[in-house]
Amino acid sequence: MGVKTDIQWSDSTINPTTGCEGCELWGPKTRVCYAGNLHETRLAKSMPLLYAADFSEVRVVAGRMTQAASWPDLRGKEREDKPWLNSYQRVIFVGDMGDFMSKDVPDDYIEHEIFGAIESRAGSRHFWLLLTKQIRRLAEFSINRGGLPDNCMAMTTVTNQHYADKRVPDLLKVECKWKGVSAEPLWDAVSLKQYLSEQEIHWVIIGGESEQRGVTPNPFELEWGRSLINECIDADVPAFVKQLGSRSFDGETPLTLRDSKGGDWSEWPEELQVREMPKLYPEVTLA
Ligand code: SF4
C-alpha cells in the first residue's frame, strides 16, 4: 500500500480497512490470498493496533483515504515505468490488502470516509478503482446513495466461470459510470462474452496466480488469456494482461520465466503483450 505500487495497472494503492471477510482465495481450506498471508505473517505482528491477528477480523483505518486524496496530482505527468498510465489522472487502487465492502465495515464509514474522500476537491483530481468481491453490497450501496461519483470505477474479480456468472451480473447493477472486471488470478477458462456485449464493462484485467508462502499456485493456461483478449477485441473493450503467474502453460508446455510472478511482459508471446487502459477520456471531467 502506498503512493507507489508495483501493481502495473495503478499508480498507487490505499486501504481504508484492514482484514477481509474472505472469498474463494481465503477461508478455512484455502490460503492463497497474498493480502491474507502478508497480514497474518507480518503486519499483525508489527502493527497489532491496525491489523488483527486473524485476517478475518476487519478494522477501519480512518484518515487513509484523505491521505491518498492529498497525494500529488499526476495529470499530464509521464510514468517511465508504466507508460500506459500517461495521460491519466493518478490511478488509485482501493483495497489491495483487504475488502473495504466486507460485511463488518459500516455503511456510514463507507459513505463518509471512502466516498467523502473520492468526492472531495483533492480526491476529484484522481481516479479511484474500487475492486471488491462483495459487489452485490456495492450495487445496493450505489443504488441507495443515488450513484457513485464519475471519478471511480466499480470492479469485481472473477476466478472461473462460476464466479463470473455470480458476480458480473451484480457488477452490472452498480450505479457507476465505469465498470471493470479483474480476471486475476484466473483458475480456469472464463468467457465474459455475454457481459461484454452489453457494452457496460469498460476494462478487463487478466492474470495468473502468484506463488504464496510455498503453496503451489494454480496453473494458468495462456489460451485462457488469448481467449479473453479476443473477446475484448470483438467487444472493443480494453484488456490489460497483468502477469502470467508463477505456473503458466502454453498447451502442455510449462513456461520458464525469469520473473517469478510472470509479470515481465517482454518474456511473453507477442499476442499476450496487451496493456490497455480504459477509455475514460474525454468523458471524465477534470477538477
Ligand atoms: S476478497 Fe481479496 S483480500 Fe479478501 S480474501 Fe479474497 S483475495 Fe484476499
Side-chain angles (χ1 to χ4, degrees):
M1 183 186 77
V3 68
K4 281 193 175 288
T5 177
D6 289 339
I7 296 171
Q8 295 90 339
W9 41 265
S10 64
D11 291 298
S12 314
T13 60
I14 196 72
N15 290 280
T17 56
T18 65
C20 180
E21 72 173 85
C23 70
E24 67 270 31
L25 276 72
W26 190 266
K29 293 189 183 153
T30 315
R31 316 281 283 184
V32 296
C33 167
Y34 168 81
N37 279 309
L38 186 65
H39 179 121
E40 290 196 352
T41 56
R42 282 183 31 202
L43 300 173
K45 295 188 172 78
S46 58
M47 291 177 276
L49 290 179
L50 290 180
Y51 299 85
D54 188 332
F55 184 53
S56 66
E57 185 180 328
V58 174
R59 292 181 181 172
V60 299
V61 191
R64 280 188 174 169
M65 288 293 289
T66 307
Q67 178 196 354
S70 74
W71 287 338
D73 198 344
L74 285 182
R75 287 173 290 178
K77 299 279 185 340
E78 296 211 345
R79 284 79 148 184
E80 280 180 17
D81 54 339
K82 300 173 183 174
W84 41 83
L85 291 173
N86 291 346
S87 87
Y88 281 80
Q89 294 135 296
R90 177 182 293 277
V91 178
I92 304 176
F93 169 17
V94 180
D96 67 315
M97 286 297 295
D99 198 319
F100 58 90
M101 293 303 289
S102 290
K103 59 182 183 312
D104 291 338
V105 183
D107 276 357
D108 268 6
Y109 182 82
I110 295 170
E111 178 57 39
H112 294 112
E113 189 70 22
I114 300 180
F115 288 102
I118 291 172
E119 289 179 320
S120 68
R121 186 171 175 80
S124 55
R125 300 170 307 150
H126 310 312
F127 193 77
W128 305 78
L129 303 174
L130 306 176
L131 179 58
T132 176
K133 293 201 178 65
Q134 307 307 323
I135 193 67
R136 178 166 297 179
R137 184 178 179 198
L138 184 60
E140 287 164 2
F141 189 89
S142 71
I143 292 164
N144 289 339
R145 84 187 296 278
L148 303 186
D150 285 353
N151 63 321
C152 72
M153 176 179 281
M155 302 183 70
T156 197
T157 301
V158 305
T159 45
N160 57 25
Q161 197 65 47
H162 168 77
Y163 285 105
D165 295 338
K166 184 175 153 88
R167 293 182 184 137
V168 178
D170 285 329
L171 173 70
L172 295 174
K173 291 180 192 147
V174 181
E175 286 196 8
C176 186
K177 187 165 189 170
W178 311 105
K179 293 170 192 165
V181 173
S182 172
E184 192 239 336
L186 260 190
W187 287 352
D188 203 349
V190 165
S191 172
L192 297 176
K193 196 170 182 174
Q194 60 168 314
Y195 307 115
L196 295 174
S197 65
E198 292 184 29
Q199 300 287 306
E200 278 193 54
I201 292 177
H202 305 94
W203 198 27
V204 175
I205 294 169
I206 300 165
E209 188 170 291
S210 322
E211 185 166 10
Q212 302 297 328
R213 256 205 337 197
V215 179
T216 305
N218 287 291
F220 176 73
E221 298 275 353
L222 300 197
E223 205 47 42
W224 305 342
R226 292 187 181 106
S227 155
L228 265 183
I229 290 170
N230 287 336
E231 287 188 0
C232 288
I233 291 170
D234 289 346
D236 195 23
V237 172
F240 191 107
V241 182
K242 179 188 172 216
Q243 61 181 41
L244 302 187
S246 305
R247 204 169 142 237
S248 50
F249 291 79
D250 198 356
E252 301 286 305
T253 313
L255 268 72
T256 308
L257 303 171
R258 290 183 297 280
D259 186 289
S260 62
K261 295 180 181 172
D264 178 357
W265 69 342
S266 68
E267 296 191 272
W268 309 347
E270 200 172 332
E271 70 279 11
L272 288 164
Q273 295 176 11
V274 178
R275 283 183 169 166
E276 298 168 332
M277 294 296 289
K279 298 171 194 162
L280 301 180
Y281 292 98
E283 292 93 334
V284 168
T285 308
L286 302 181

